[in-house]
Amino acid sequence: MAKTALILVDIQNDFCPGGAMAVPDGDAIVPVANALIPRFELVVAVRDWHPANHGCFAVNHFGYKVGGVVALNGQRQILRPIHCVQNSHGAAFAPDLDVAGIHQIIPHGTDPNIDSYSGFFDSNHIKSTGLGEYLKSEEVMNICVMGLATDFAVKFTALDARQWGFNTLLIEDGCRGINYRPGDVAAALEEMRSAGVQMIDSEEAVPV
Ligand code: ZN
């Protein structure tokens, strides 16, 4: 039988209210995750996991501020506040998340010279995080994706999942977005739909 995995994206303190890069209402998805986790035979959590010298942090570029733009490994990089530094409080999973139900944790953003919004690849699509290989080795065919933020890590993770060939479902009520520009979240959802990602509600997210 085709295996279905639940992929939890970046449900970390720094993306929840009070965090360094808070997603509005981000912690509201924790109960949604906790209700879903026991329903899946495989639960994988992706987490943003930067070394302190990461090139996406404005403080690591002399004379630059948060929101500034640099070239990082040939990619346009918008500079961020310090967030999700490995083993810091901000990088920890949201305190109420049912971490005991998580089978595998996959870090992304670990290379200081390149950012990675996706749980599968760096932003240049050169280095894999190991998530795709892991899911294939577990004979996963279908994945349900939820987490933070809809218009960043969730979008890029879902798009890469399609590239890997997974049947990909997005749990819409299990995501929250940032909307730096009005319409960003709507555009992200449309981009995912166009790539073949199916939108579902958490009530419908039972392994198929
Ligand atoms: Zn990051």
Side-chain angles (χ1 to χ4, degrees):
M1 201 177 112
K3 223 178 190 178
T4 301
L6 177 65
I7 311 291
L8 306 172
V9 179
D10 293 2
I11 308 180
Q12 295 166 268
N13 286 327
D14 271 340
F15 297 121
C16 289
M21 291 181 67
V23 178
D25 205 25
D27 54 346
I29 66 164
V30 173
V32 179
N34 288 346
L36 287 177
I37 286 169
R39 294 195 215 166
F40 286 80
E41 57 182 321
L42 189 66
V43 180
V44 181
V46 163
R47 65 179 173 188
D48 205 18
W49 197 246
H50 297 305
N53 65 343
H54 199 277
C56 75
F57 297 155
V59 292
N60 292 329
H61 298 268
F62 182 74
Y64 282 86
K65 289 189 177 141
V66 170
V69 177
V70 295
L72 192 62
N73 230 322
Q75 280 277 343
R76 183 176 182 272
Q77 176 70 49
I78 299 173
L79 295 173
R80 307 296 184 191
I82 295 171
H83 68 278
C84 295
V85 172
Q86 295 170 5
N87 300 306
S88 69
H89 172 77
F93 291 120
D96 295 330
L97 185 65
D98 174 15
V99 289
I102 295 169
H103 300 105
Q104 183 77 16
I105 296 171
I106 304 276
H108 65 118
T110 56
D111 182 336
N113 295 313
I114 185 150
D115 209 1
S116 159
Y117 291 140
S118 160
F120 285 93
F121 289 105
D122 65 62
S123 301
N124 278 352
H125 259 236
I126 292 170
K127 252 194 272 178
S128 165
T129 61
L131 175 59
E133 292 85 348
Y134 172 73
L135 293 173
K136 292 283 180 190
S137 75
E138 291 288 326
E139 296 178 339
V140 169
M141 297 281 289
N142 313 301
I143 68 169
C144 292
V145 180
M146 62 164 287
L148 305 170
T150 317
D151 35 353
F152 284 92
V154 169
K155 177 181 89 167
F156 288 103
T157 300
L159 292 176
D160 280 346
R162 292 294 302 138
Q163 282 209 359
W164 268 93
F166 296 111
N167 180 30
T168 309
L169 297 89
L170 185 86
I171 302 164
E172 254 194 283
D173 56 323
C175 300
R176 291 294 184 280
I178 297 176
N179 264 333
Y180 279 129
R181 292 166 305 187
D184 276 357
V185 168
L189 292 173
E190 193 44 51
E191 200 177 336
M192 288 187 267
R193 263 189 217 106
S194 303
V197 176
Q198 190 188 334
M199 305 295 157
I200 58 166
D201 186 83
S202 58
E203 294 298 315
E204 305 167 75
V206 282
V208 289

